[in-house]
Amino acid sequence: MFKLKATILKDIRILLRDKIGLVIMFAMPILLAIVITSVQNSTFELVNENKIPLLVYNKDKGETGKELITALQKIGIFELHQLSGEYSEKDIAEKMHNKDALVAIVVPGDYSAEVLRKAKNVTREALKKLDIGTDSMLIKSSAETPLTLYYHPVLQQSFRNSIDGAIKSSLQLIQSKFIVKNLYQEVNEEAIPDSLETQILSNQTPINEIPVSKDGSRTIPTASQHNVPAWTIFAMFFIVISLGSSIVREKQSGSFTRLRTLPTSFAVALLSKQITYLLVTLMQAIVIFSIGIWLFPKMGLPALNLPADKAALLLVTLICGWCATSFAICIGVFAQTQEQANGIGAVSIVLLAAIGGLLVPSFAMPSSFRYIMQLSPLHWCLEAFYGLFLEGGKLRDILLNILPLLAITILLQLLAVYGLKRKNLI
Amino acid sequence: MSLAISIEDLSFGYKDQQRKNFSHLHLHIQKGERFGIFGPNGAGKTTLMNIMTGLLEYESGSVKLLGHEVKNNKKNITKLFGFVPQDFSFYHELSPAENMEFFGAWAGLNKKQIQRKITELLTVLGLEDVRNKPVQKFSGGMKRRINLAIAVMNEPQVLFMDEPTVGVDVQTRNAIIEYLKELNKKGTTLVYTSHQLSEAEQLCERIALIDEGKIVANDTLINLYKEHQQDGLEKLFLELTGKEFRD
């Protein structure tokens, strides 16, 4: 026990003197968690609270164009900036830039006439069999001018789709309104009362959004719940920079060789490294979770809510930390130089994070990646953490994520021992 | 006088090399002796030292340290010897005292023994003033003394040293040699390799000259000078190993 204590003390002393390693292990992931959560939170707010600036250039002089603008306003996600006068495509692009607008819509001059024409045609088609209304022919349109939507190239496809959907729903609303008006006029030979028009058009079935959780709670997941566990895992695995190079240094300096000439098992050295760095990963989790709980609200970000099953959280954190430590030891054993350990270590963590679903959600990955992601220990760590943080699960709910993680950890341990034996270090 | 080291019919070759480093080698070192192993670069000095300390496993023959077959008693023999590697094999981020605390614990000493040894050795080797400073900024000579201090913490019966004075100034070399002589007076057998032939004359009672895995001379310096009619080790060395480059 004295030997183990002395070895842990040695490892802690070396670790505390590795200032760059400490910055990489603590400051970098804290910054990542804050920055990514802020960015993602502002995206949520952009959709839910903030309004998207939308330039509207209405060339239509009729009432329908104005009604479309009112409908767009009522959606609630746009902040409308209307343009008056004559504008070319180039002018609109310039205006978008000046107003910081990501989207612009141009309503064509014949929009009212076209909506009315379509409404009349639909009415005639609908009433033909009932033998109500006039016998007039369908009104044919000369080539219909479409609405034009300009968007900034920075706008991602998914975001563009949302805007597109919102505008289409406004267009549909206007078109439906005119069809209803026309139908009523033809059948009743009088204008539709305002109250009935409103009733027909706004009587939508409400949608009740409920997050599904294992504990039955109705907590809505926030950017903090998503990001803090993910970047904590990332931080844990980034100990590879400090631990990997520390092992390479010990190999290169001959310290490992010297240890072999002393009457103590090398297992003590390996155990010490694992205990020391397991404590580091635990500290990282405590620091990052604390920031999520106490600092995030002060920064205007949603606070992190810890899962109800604290024992499961501690167990998952320890197993993730053990896996991260085993990975770092493995890299340190097989790397020939510190540069190799740092390079391979950092790149492999980013790759494993990418395929593990830390950078892109796993549900958004191509199906071929679904199998590859299971090879990433970070994937299983993330699944276990999400099971607790997002789904409100308990230990039994995440056992299937912990078992593969343990299997990967044991495999990494065996690989490290094999590497040490092969290099004649134990 | 009983044997500290007995090597009989030793054969050894690295797995990735065709050539055998040693073939049917015999060497005896008496207890309490100051024994030097010399030879040109690549002669096999470090390999032989690594075999004697159990760091390399030999295929055939016998290597005994204080009567224990090295191959079969690796853990037991580690209590009997100290080893000064050629590299600075310690932690440069730590101070001399911190390094000695750690290696002392691994050598099997208790807390009290470790503290006593740290004070004693750092004083003798002139490192007491820097006992708590990180080794990183130390000179080569200071690092060599720390390398030695760590190896003798457990008061070994046999001390193996692989080039313990390489790259140090005259003062440090002198201090190290004087300390080693003191250690030897207390009964420690010294086995060491070096390129510094002058050191052999200062320190060694007996030497073995190795060349291409064979012992080409093994006797006291006086006897070797007489036998080969030379008056210095350098001339004797060149006579026995030739003038060609070896690396």
Side-chain angles (χ1 to χ4, degrees), chain A residues 2-3 6-7 10 13-14 17 249-250 253-255 257-266 268-269 424, chain B residues 55-56 75 78-79 83 85 87-91 93-94 98 101-103 105-107 109 114 147 150-151:
Chain A
F2 174 59
K3 289 175 180 179
T7 314
K10 177 265 295 178
R13 278 170 170 161
I14 291 174
R17 282 161 207 182
R249 276 201 303 276
E250 286 186 63
S253 74
S255 306
T257 309
R258 182 169 223 152
L259 293 181
R260 286 180 59 208
T261 66
L262 294 168
T264 301
S265 163
F266 196 81
V268 175
N424 203 22
Chain B
L55 288 170
L56 285 176
K75 278 293 151 207
T78 50
K79 291 173 188 157
F83 179 46
D87 301 316
F88 298 126
S89 303
F90 47 78
Y91 299 94
E93 303 90 335
L94 303 181
E98 289 166 344
E101 273 174 28
F102 167 66
F103 285 107
W106 270 63
L109 307 184
I114 290 171
N147 222 14
I150 291 167

Side-chain angles (χ1 to χ4, degrees), chain A residues 91-130:
Chain A
D91 296 334
I92 290 168
E94 204 172 298
K95 288 275 174 195
M96 278 173 77
H97 184 70
N98 291 344
K99 294 261 180 197
D100 253 355
L102 295 172
V103 199
I105 186 169
V106 178
V107 183
D110 59 352
Y111 176 65
S112 287
E114 274 300 314
V115 170
L116 198 63
R117 182 187 63 78
K118 281 180 197 162
K120 282 186 173 167
N121 283 347
V122 170
T123 305
R124 281 191 188 98
E125 277 293 307
L127 300 179
K128 202 158 70 181
K129 284 186 182 164
L130 296 174

Side-chain angles (χ1 to χ4, degrees), chain A residues 26-82:
Chain A
F26 285 93
M28 188 201 68
I30 289 169
L31 272 175
L32 271 173
I34 292 173
V35 170
I36 307 277
T37 308
S38 303
V39 169
Q40 214 175 75
N41 192 55
S42 64
T43 312
F44 278 139
E45 282 178 356
L46 188 65
V47 176
N48 299 319
E49 293 165 34
N50 292 348
K51 293 186 175 177
I52 305 161
L54 172 69
L55 278 188
V56 181
Y57 178 29
N58 185 10
K59 291 183 177 174
D60 182 38
K61 304 291 175 213
E63 281 305 303
T64 323
K66 285 176 193 159
E67 282 191 42
L68 174 66
I69 293 164
T70 311
L72 287 170
Q73 218 145 19
K74 276 186 182 166
I75 296 171
I77 65 166
F78 297 117
E79 182 192 321
L80 265 56
H81 299 279
Q82 290 200 57

